[in-house]
Structures are given as C-alpha cells and as structure tokens.
Amino acid sequence: MADSSFDIVSKVERQEVDNALNQAAKEISQRYDFKGVGASISWSGDKILMEANSEDRVNAVLDVFQSKLIKRGISLKALEAGEPQLSGKEYKLFAEIKEGISQDNAKKVAKLIRDEGPKGVKAQVQGEELRVSSKSRDDLQAVIALLKGQDFDFALQFVNYR
C-alpha cells in the first residue's frame, strides 16, 4: 500500500484579504467616529496602507481591518503590522500579509513531528511547504491534531490530504 500524505502550508487567499479590506474601507467611511479624521485603508503595492490624523485613529483602523479578517476566516498570524509613523500631519501604518513557511519554521515543525508525533511519520521540507507522509492515515490525523494544539507564530493550513 502506498504512503498517505498531506502538505503543511501557510497561504492566504488574496481575494479574501481584498474583500476584508473593502469591507473595512466601507465601514471606516460610514462610521461616525471616523468622520473628519482623514481615516482610510487601501492597497499600496503588496502592502496595506492605513492613514488617519492621530495615532489612536490609525490603530482603530487596524482594529476594524483585523475584525474583518477574522470574519473572513483569515488568521491574524498572517498579518504583520508595523508601528504608526508620523508623515507630515498624517499618521501612516503599513501592514503586510505573510505567506509561506520559512526554512527555520519548517525545520521547527519537522522536529516537533519527529519528536512528539507517532513513529513512522516522515516530514520533509519542500520549498515553502512541508510534506508529511506515513503508511497510516490515523498517524497523519494524530500529527494534524498535534500541530493544531501547538501555538506557532505563523498560520498553518493542511492541504492535499491523500
């Protein structure tokens, strides 16, 4: 019998992020507490730009955006927001969406699977993803449960389960 396997990835659906950003922009344009403060959120290349006339308002814009991401099922671990910076009379805050598992993080996950996972489970790094394989599907389920129980500083998704 052939090995069963699945891939561990860290990907974000770009369309869902775009929808969350559009919803946040709409809410910011309509909310009373954002009237007259120049609050806005938009794409700036691959980054997300949030602007307002005070540091608190920029953080409030970020909070609205984060709530929209959560409603769309996107982990906040994929969002990397910087600090608000004064630019002229406006405060700007840049955030970006992280995708892919770095080599160091992939090695940490593979080591965890080797140390605490069921015997006979193999984990190999393939670029920005990790392939986990085993003869037993039950062992793969146990690995998924083990990883879901851990608190990594990056988002994990399990795909291509075969």
Side-chain angles (χ1 to χ4, degrees), residues 7 13 15 21 24 29 31 51 62 64 68-69 78 85 88 94 96 104 108 115 119 123 127 140 142-143 147 160 162:
D7 295 334
E13 187 94 19
Q15 186 61 49
L21 187 129
S29 71
R31 266 182 41 180
E51 296 177 303
L62 176 62
V64 168
K68 298 302 178 188
L69 286 175
Q85 298 166 345
F94 286 98
E96 62 183 315
D104 293 341
K108 282 183 202 170
D115 295 346
K119 299 290 177 233
L140 293 180
V143 168
L147 294 176
N160 295 339
R162 339 189 163 118

Side-chain angles (χ1 to χ4, degrees), residues 96-147:
E96 62 183 315
I97 303 295
K98 293 187 296 186
E99 286 193 307
I101 302 174
S102 70
Q103 289 291 326
D104 293 341
N105 289 336
K107 287 178 184 174
K108 282 183 202 170
V109 174
K111 184 175 181 347
L112 178 76
I113 292 170
R114 271 196 313 277
D115 295 346
E116 297 183 29
K119 299 290 177 233
V121 175
K122 296 185 285 290
Q124 51 204 158
V125 180
Q126 297 180 331
E128 291 190 337
E129 55 186 49
L130 194 67
R131 166 81 38 97
V132 180
S133 58
S134 171
K135 293 210 181 298
S136 164
R137 286 182 168 234
D138 292 340
D139 288 350
L140 293 180
Q141 293 286 343
V143 168
I144 290 175
L146 170 74
L147 294 176

Side-chain angles (χ1 to χ4, degrees), residues 1-71:
M1 192 169 113
D3 282 3
S4 299
S5 68
F6 68 90
D7 295 334
I8 301 171
V9 297
S10 182
K11 290 190 173 141
V12 175
E13 187 94 19
R14 173 86 177 186
Q15 186 61 49
E16 290 295 325
V17 174
D18 203 36
N19 291 342
L21 187 129
N22 290 335
Q23 286 179 337
K26 186 174 182 181
E27 183 174 322
I28 289 164
S29 71
Q30 292 175 345
R31 266 182 41 180
Y32 176 76
D33 58 335
F34 286 120
K35 292 279 188 238
V37 296
S40 68
I41 182 169
S42 61
W43 286 104
S44 175
D46 281 347
K47 295 187 177 187
I48 297 159
L49 170 66
M50 291 162 260
E51 296 177 303
N53 66 0
S54 74
E55 192 170 343
D56 292 341
R57 289 287 174 233
V58 168
N59 287 327
V61 170
L62 176 62
D63 192 45
V64 168
F65 182 54
Q66 287 175 336
S67 71
K68 298 302 178 188
L69 286 175
I70 291 170
K71 283 183 181 173

